[in-house]
Amino acid sequence: MLASIFNDVIGPVMRGPSSSHSAAAVRIGLLCRDLCEGTPDRVVVELDTQGSLATTHRSQGSDMGLFGGLLGWEADDDRLPGSPTAVAEAGVDVEIRTSRLDDPHPNTYRLHLWRGADRHELIGLSTGGGMIEIIEIDGHSVSLFGDYAVTLLWTVGDAEALAAELAATGLYDEVAASGDDLVVVSGQKAMDSSAVGELPSVQRVRRLRCVLPVPSRRGMTVPFSHAGDLEASSDGDPTGPLSTRPLSDWAIEYERARGGIGEDEVLATARRMLDIMRRGVETGLAGTRYDDRILGWQSGRFAEMAEAGRLLDGGLLNRMIAYVTALMEAKSAMEVIVAAPTAGSCATFPGTLLAAVDELEVSAEAAERALLTGGLVGVFVTNRSSFAAEVGGCQAETGAGAAMAAAALVELAGGTAEQSLSAASQSLQNVLGLICDPVANRVEAPCLGRNVSGAANALSCANMALAGYDHLIPLDEVLDAHRQVSQSMARELRCTGLGGLAATPTAQRIELGLRPD
């Protein structure tokens, strides 16, 4: 699946502590519900003890998200925090098992589902930032990303022959056979009953919804995939387009091609995302409360002291700190946020961007374009590495968020695409190897401080790029190093709660105090 700014980077719009856990689990739960044609009667969830979910599924919102999805709720539903109680009240028998499964991906859900006389099995992956991949259904290998409406056809005939027959009609975007008896049909909408009725060999059908905001389509292409593609187009010409045009020009071009939409719609979507981010900042500054969290409300006092001149003069940085803190507090209070690129780093990029927009008093379109510039840097990240802390530690989350923010700040300051890419490269270089070790498995500490430091990193690198500092290593090569560091990082340091600050005596005491009896 081709990355989209509004699928993979600026989104999902959600509640919960973690997009990898909460939002992705909602999407997997929704597809499980569709597979069962309604809320299942019984669910057994198997989690690998060598992965991330075994130790974090409750505290980081996997249970909350999965149960909400099974009930048919979306990731921003205000009922979502109460889904564990609601699923029990709905009569669903849920069992969560942990054992050594040796799953290759750390965020693997093995789900066994019963509804009436039907039983299904599904294996799904949370791949970072709320994105998912379904890799197995009822023992059949599949590769579904939630970007299509999917029709599953079980046939007593030759599945390969039926798949070829359906593909030849040209009515569907993708058709594939899995095993001898399953055909997977992907399109803009699911097959209707009359079309299925014309296939006498089909014995059973299930329809899965599209769970991503930007669907895929047949023949979809994008003009480029990596930062190096843009740099190559400049062909070493110091007066070429990268040194004269903002990076948002390419971001708009990319998302127009990916979504099959016009520039006005791209900017309108960016505007909606900014509005949601803005409401998150306002909610956080106004004050938030939530029982199951470690840190209380701090953003309001910081903003008041900065306004009164009672803090050291940080200028724009102080506004960034207030906004970043406000967004993190809103997220931890289960308010609606935009994961950009993840919930754990939901404040680095949005808080930095909005603070600069307010401080510089730029136009609405300039803000939208800066958002898209950061989004395009995020596309480059996901195409060469990962946003998932369970895969690459905190360098994958706040590291990526800082790179996105640095590029956006350059754009707001009137900088060029070349300078935005330079700032992104430098900021990501500064955080290589940063681990993910949330205290008590709550995405609050040291996450808040790291989001704030990501904002400071972004501001510093944006100014360095604008001043012509040499970032030395191209962004693509930094991202390749980012991926290699991820692969070398110990499992305990990748969002398991088993290492780093999470393993300190104080953190363990905090966790014990939060656990229910």
Side-chain angles (χ1 to χ4, degrees), residues 382-425:
T382 197
N383 282 344
R384 296 186 87 96
S385 190
S386 174
F387 293 135
E390 300 84 1
V391 172
C394 206
Q395 64 164 13
E397 295 204 19
T398 55
M404 293 162 56
L409 289 177
V410 167
E411 171 117 4
L412 288 175
T416 65
E418 187 175 60
Q419 292 170 322
S420 284
L421 294 174
S422 174
S425 172

Side-chain angles (χ1 to χ4, degrees), residues 18-54:
S18 166
S19 48
S20 292
H21 292 66
S22 316
V26 167
R27 289 169 169 171
I28 291 172
L30 287 169
L31 296 180
C32 288
R33 178 184 175 85
D34 290 348
L35 186 61
C36 293
E37 295 189 313
T39 301
D41 304 320
R42 184 179 178 221
V43 179
V44 174
V45 186
E46 290 189 292
L47 305 174
D48 188 357
T49 53
Q50 299 303 296
S52 165
L53 296 172

